[in-house]
Amino acid sequence: MDFNLPEELVRMKETIREFVENEVEPHAMQIEEEDRVPDEILEKSKELGLFGLSIPEEYGGMGLSMLGKCAIFEELGKTINGYTTIIGAHNGIGSVGIVQFGTEEQKQRYLPKMATGEWIGAFALTEPQAGSNAAAIKTTAVKKGDRYILNGQKIYITNAPYAHVFTVMAVTDPSKGPKGITSFIVERDFKGFHVGSIEKKMGLHGSHTAQLYFEDMEVPEENVLGQEGEGYVNALKILANGRAGLAARCLGSCQYLLDRSVRYALERVQFGKPIFEQQIIQHYLAEMALEVETLRWMTYRVAWMTDQGMNVIKEAAMLKLYGSEVYNRVADKAVQIHGGIGYIADYPIERFYRDARITRIYEGTSEIQKNIIAAQLKKEYTR
Amino acid sequence: MNILVCLKQTFDTEERIVVENGKVKEDGVKFVINPYDEYAVEEAIRLKEQFGGEVTVVSVGPSRAEEALRTALAMGADEAILADDPALFGDEYTVAKVLAAIARQKNYDIIIAGNQAVDDGSGQVAVRLAEELGIPHISTLTKLVVEGNQVTGHRDAEGDEEIVTATLPVLVTAQQGLNDPRYPSLIGIRKASKKPLAHVTLADLGLSEEDIRPRTEIVDTFLPKPKEAGRILQGELQDQVKELVQALIQVEKVVG
């Protein structure tokens, strides 16, 4: 059993750590206030190759394993989560559909430009009436000659305001339920495609989320992603693939909060001694450290299992659930240890506290992850 | 245009220095490319991007320095040479001799090095190398322009700027402000592991131990005295001045 990352990944991780520390984190407050990541930071991120992590090398990407992607995502999690989300959503749910289910022609057309970050990717499943109950989507796709006509609305679409390529799920056969859903690759400049205004969010500032509207939008038939009728299953697979990466981002944020909290506890003097000397603070920190450590090994193990081609439906759901819940608990303790300054917006802790909250909701709520875990357990025990 | 970059792997500038048994402890220390040499690597890659050619990075040092060379390769250098034979280690005189032997193996148009290393800070090696090779050098550059055979270097000169010209081949050294070194890209890191990195020995370079024998000797290594609390002079101003002058002459021995 070897717990070491391969040499190449160690170097990549190190470089991204330095980049995040020196080029992104110093601008975090500005990003938070302006709700916008400066173009310069995005350009530098693209030059580093951060937009092509999961895209195979033959299409201009890095073709990283899940282990590699998680190692990089851990580092990206150590700064403002809005920035992390732009890159995470693009490399995860925004592009893995095309990587996994795309035809050669689709890969040739989309992946090279997505690998450089020229085209940003987004994933569009959720609708006003179809959140956790994703199979209830209403967007329709009607075949007409060599094209499909899409009508409907999508909501909470991360990266929508600047994405060019969307993986969109729509109903092609309403009589078949989930098996009547098909995925499509939609480009921003397709006729009838509209992006709504940017949503104001509790956190994740810098990452933008908006609604999509399709009005008799024409999608050429060669843009069907995967087989007709397999859109729902594909969507679930894309989401499952994203779970380890999301947990890795939570891991990075947790590590950051733990680092800040230990240092603060050692420096902050109350009652004549550093608060670290109070047993209650020691216990808080010990609990945080234990959960971060548990999350780390869970993340890398699920990533490794994924790379071995093993079935990780249960483990990935456990990891996403655990990662997001741990992030929330760690953020809460970090605020408590910091006291007043943990609540002040001039200091980063409260920002992580707000950013943490969404991880229990997006890409499958904590409750849905429990459903998945239970369903897998039932399968295992009733075979 | 063929460019040679001399680099040294040094302690990360944020590392704490611990001296034990007359030596600086290296356990658990993070090593980086000497920051001044990083400017040199960046400048070399920019010249290559402008004029074509190849960038070779060279280091004299222990095998751990391979990591620094790999970083330079990941930034965009083409090949690396590591003189990690302990027989090649010595002082500034030694290193300049070794580098000269390596530099003579190929026709380099420009040799770029950092203005000094942040560890021992002697600032001698590059300039000695130019002397060894009999080529001109311009040191501590904040701007470098190459046009045809003409090289123009801008350097800080006591708050003013000095502009020095020379012709190729030339050796220049980099000062802070010359450029903003790039981060190695992820693909650069992957490619770096496949780029050539040659290890050279005393024999490979056709040198004898006597040729490169150090001309200096390190007698002792110690940390500066820890800073003690200051003393605030009190009393009449006249008396304070007298006391200060006395202290400067007798206690600190900075005057007289």
Side-chain angles (χ1 to χ4, degrees), chain A residues 25 72-82 84-85 204 245-261 288 292 295-296 323-324 326-328 330-331 334 348-349 351-353 355-356 359 362:
Chain A
E25 186 57 19
I72 304 285
F73 278 175
E74 183 186 345
E75 294 309 323
L76 294 177
K78 292 179 182 169
T79 187
I80 180 164
N81 288 186
T84 315
T85 301
L204 284 198
L246 206 148
R249 284 149 58 190
C250 291
L251 170 63
S253 296
C254 288
Q255 183 64 56
Y256 174 92
L257 290 168
L258 175 64
D259 291 347
R260 296 293 291 234
S261 299
M288 289 164 81
V292 173
L295 176 58
R296 168 164 293 109
S324 53
V326 163
Y327 183 10
N328 277 261
V330 165
I349 307 300
R351 187 206 327 140
F352 280 88
Y353 181 80
D355 287 349
T359 62
Y362 69 4

Side-chain angles (χ1 to χ4, degrees), chain B residues 231 233 237-256:
Chain B
R231 208 178 111 221
L233 301 174
L237 189 61
Q238 265 191 337
D239 299 334
Q240 284 189 36
V241 172
K242 272 187 195 156
E243 211 183 328
L244 177 62
V245 172
Q246 278 301 102
L248 288 174
I249 293 170
Q250 286 177 359
V251 186
E252 298 297 335
K253 295 185 175 140
V254 287
V255 192

Side-chain angles (χ1 to χ4, degrees), chain A residues 34-337:
Chain A
E34 295 175 3
D35 191 12
R36 187 170 176 279
V37 178
D39 293 341
E40 201 197 339
I41 293 180
L42 289 177
E43 282 313 310
K44 280 185 185 171
S45 308
K46 289 172 187 176
E47 281 166 24
L48 282 183
L50 285 172
F51 283 74
L53 299 179
S54 45
I55 293 170
E57 257 188 295
E58 61 261 43
Y59 304 104
M62 291 302 303
L64 285 185
S65 60
M66 188 57 84
L67 191 72
K69 203 157 91 169
C70 285
I72 304 285
F73 278 175
E74 183 186 345
E75 294 309 323
L76 294 177
K78 292 179 182 169
T79 187
I80 180 164
N81 288 186
Y83 165 78
T84 315
T85 301
I86 296 175
I87 295 174
H90 170 85
N91 280 290
I93 56 177
S95 59
V96 293
I98 300 176
V99 173
Q100 282 192 10
F101 309 115
T103 62
E104 187 52 36
E105 288 72 27
Q106 288 169 341
K107 288 179 182 173
Q108 293 285 358
R109 171 161 173 76
Y110 294 105
L111 295 183
K113 282 184 174 167
M114 294 179 88
T116 58
E118 186 186 339
W119 282 357
I120 307 281
F123 177 80
L125 173 64
T126 302
E127 296 183 5
Q129 306 305 325
S132 288
N133 184 12
I137 58 169
K138 296 275 179 291
T139 294
T140 56
V142 178
K143 182 124 195 230
K144 202 173 153 190
D146 60 353
R147 49 199 54 222
Y148 287 80
I149 309 298
L150 269 68
N151 277 288
Q153 177 187 4
K154 297 286 177 184
I155 192 168
Y156 307 140
I157 305 306
T158 302
N159 280 354
Y162 29 71
H164 185 85
V165 183
F166 297 77
T167 303
V168 173
M169 264 54 65
V171 178
T172 39
D173 187 347
S175 68
K176 288 187 180 160
K179 287 183 178 152
I181 295 172
T182 301
S183 27
F184 297 88
I185 306 171
V186 169
E187 290 183 44
R188 188 182 194 86
D189 45 20
F190 282 1
K191 215 172 126 261
F193 177 95
H194 307 284
V195 179
S197 53
I198 296 169
E199 304 281 4
K200 290 199 180 77
K201 307 187 299 309
M202 175 181 180
L204 284 198
H205 291 169
S207 157
H208 293 164
T209 287
Q211 298 197 27
L212 304 180
Y213 304 95
F214 313 130
E215 282 180 321
D216 292 327
M217 177 176 70
E218 294 185 8
V219 179
E221 66 181 351
E222 63 263 26
N223 275 34
V224 168
L225 182 61
Q227 298 300 312
E228 194 174 304
E230 289 183 359
Y232 183 67
V233 177
N234 290 348
L236 294 186
K237 286 182 182 161
I238 292 166
L239 286 167
N241 180 292
R243 286 189 183 121
L246 206 148
R249 284 149 58 190
C250 291
L251 170 63
S253 296
C254 288
Q255 183 64 56
Y256 174 92
L257 290 168
L258 175 64
D259 291 347
R260 296 293 291 234
S261 299
V262 175
R263 276 194 217 114
Y264 184 76
L266 288 168
E267 280 166 17
R268 170 71 172 167
V269 173
Q270 286 290 279
F271 305 108
K273 56 187 177 186
I275 61 169
F276 189 95
E277 300 307 323
Q278 305 288 353
Q279 196 179 45
I280 185 75
I281 300 292
Q282 292 179 4
H283 285 191
Y284 283 165
L285 291 169
E287 285 157 12
M288 289 164 81
L290 170 64
E291 291 198 310
V292 173
E293 194 63 10
T294 315
L295 176 58
R296 168 164 293 109
W297 295 115
M298 209 167 158
T299 303
Y300 287 111
R301 176 169 149 80
V302 172
W304 176 85
M305 286 175 76
T306 308
D307 291 336
Q308 306 306 308
M310 295 161 84
N311 180 347
V312 294
I313 295 179
K314 184 180 71 178
E315 287 78 4
M318 286 175 163
L319 173 61
K320 196 270 176 184
L321 169 65
Y322 189 69
S324 53
E325 296 288 338
V326 163
Y327 183 10
N328 277 261
R329 287 198 289 271
V330 165
D332 186 67
K333 287 206 181 86
V335 172
Q336 201 63 21
I337 290 168

